[in-house]
Amino acid sequence: MTFVRVFGVPHHIRVDGTGPVCLLSAGLGMAWFDWDPVVPLLAPYRTVVRFDRPGLGLSGHARAWPTLTGEAERIACVLDAAGAGVPATVVGHSLAGFHCEAFARLFPERTAGLVLVDSSVEEAPRGRRVPEFSDACTRLGGTMLAAAGVPRLLGPFLRRTAVRVGRHSGGDPAPGDLVRRAYSTSRFLHAVVAENARYRDQAVELASLRGRVPLDAPVTVLAAYEGGSRGWLDRQRVLAERLGGTLRVSAPAGHLVMLDRPQDVVDAILET
């Protein structure tokens, strides 16, 4: 475990294992320890790099609104800090799928492969009509909630609830002290509302990037499937086809595939 400054913000980084480099980036509002079930299975074969985006996990307060290009550059800086001088396989879950795809397009010489774990998908994204007003409302709402003590009172509870909903079965395996440390702070609240507010903007950025910059790395899309409606699975299949990649299905699994079926995540990484 170490801390390095990226864009002026202290970033928490964790490196485990040996071998070719693999970077794991978690979804909206998640922390480095959400990959804990995957790391022991992957570390014998890969040097595994995990990190917390600003405000999340143990990283410092965010200083700027998130952008897609900024997140791709953040991944590059994290790999530099981890001493990764060789191309890496980048693995993005949910929202971080946008970030990792952008990295693969903008830094092809540093990308050995791209794995999207139940990635966010926006087929026809539309930008916000009045982004400045939306940002101001988001900032004000976050400030008011923080002042009311909402992170301390409800942060860990909401985290536990979200994990239960996001899994096929089971609760939150994360240690209680880490959950309290990561989810009871105003920095977490501001970070998660900012990432959510800028989601549509990043989807629009990615659509533009896809039209301008090719993707040359091998791609695997790992989709979660719990049975029932196949709508989400079909969208993940279309994503894999659009990126010229391979679709793998993890079943039964909820959105938090790394917690439900960590071996499926490892297999997808090793075979990409």
Side-chain angles (χ1 to χ4, degrees):
M1 182 182 299
T2 188
F3 290 85
V4 298
R5 283 193 173 272
V6 176
F7 305 144
V9 178
H11 281 59
H12 169 234
I13 298 176
R14 176 77 181 258
V15 182
D16 300 274
T18 58
V21 178
C22 175
L23 177 137
L24 307 178
S25 187
L28 191 153
M30 302 185 72
W32 92 96
F33 52 72
D34 288 304
W35 295 104
D36 276 355
V38 171
V39 173
L41 304 175
L42 184 59
Y45 311 99
R46 296 288 187 271
T47 298
V48 184
V49 180
R50 292 177 284 171
F51 73 104
D52 293 320
R53 293 189 296 277
L56 304 178
L58 301 181
S59 289
H61 285 275
R63 292 192 173 187
W65 292 96
T67 66
L68 188 72
T69 300
E71 295 307 321
E73 293 173 347
R74 190 185 316 282
I75 290 173
C77 291
V78 167
L79 289 172
D80 288 341
V86 297
T89 298
V90 288
V91 183
H93 169 254
S94 194
L95 170 64
F98 288 174
H99 306 160
C100 289
E101 182 185 338
F103 173 85
R105 291 181 184 275
L106 294 173
F107 298 91
E109 74 285 354
R110 304 194 63 175
T111 307
L114 171 65
V115 179
L116 303 178
V117 180
D118 218 42
S119 177
S120 296
V121 180
E122 294 296 334
E123 293 84 355
R126 299 176 61 182
R128 297 174 297 165
R129 291 185 178 180
V130 189
E132 296 82 3
F133 177 74
S134 177
D135 287 347
C137 291
T138 298
R139 185 182 295 110
L140 177 61
T143 299
M144 293 175 65
L145 291 172
V150 170
R152 180 177 56 83
L153 295 172
L154 295 178
F157 169 75
L158 294 175
R159 147 77 195 199
R160 298 292 194 193
T161 301
V163 170
R164 286 195 298 271
V165 171
R167 297 193 63 182
H168 172 70
S169 62
D172 187 354
D177 60 330
L178 292 182
V179 170
R180 287 189 295 274
R181 189 175 177 187
Y183 288 86
S184 299
T185 64
S186 61
R187 60 181 169 79
F188 161 75
L189 175 63
H190 285 291
V192 76
V193 297
E195 287 197 339
N196 185 66
R198 286 298 182 96
Y199 172 86
R200 289 172 59 184
D201 295 350
Q202 293 187 46
V204 170
E205 283 186 77
L206 182 58
S208 174
L209 192 63
R210 285 173 175 169
R212 295 182 289 107
V213 182
L215 177 61
D216 297 324
V219 179
T220 298
V221 174
L222 180 62
Y225 184 61
E226 295 187 87
S229 173
R230 297 179 61 87
W232 178 249
L233 188 58
D234 289 341
R235 294 176 71 190
Q236 294 284 302
R237 180 179 291 108
V238 171
L239 175 64
E241 292 172 354
R242 181 172 188 176
L243 300 182
T246 301
L247 177 71
R248 299 174 68 105
V249 180
S250 184
H255 183 54
L256 301 180
V257 185
M258 68 280 278
L259 301 184
D260 280 338
R261 301 184 68 87
Q263 187 63 56
D264 288 358
V265 177
V266 172
D267 291 343
I269 293 169
L270 295 180
E271 295 176 21
T272 297

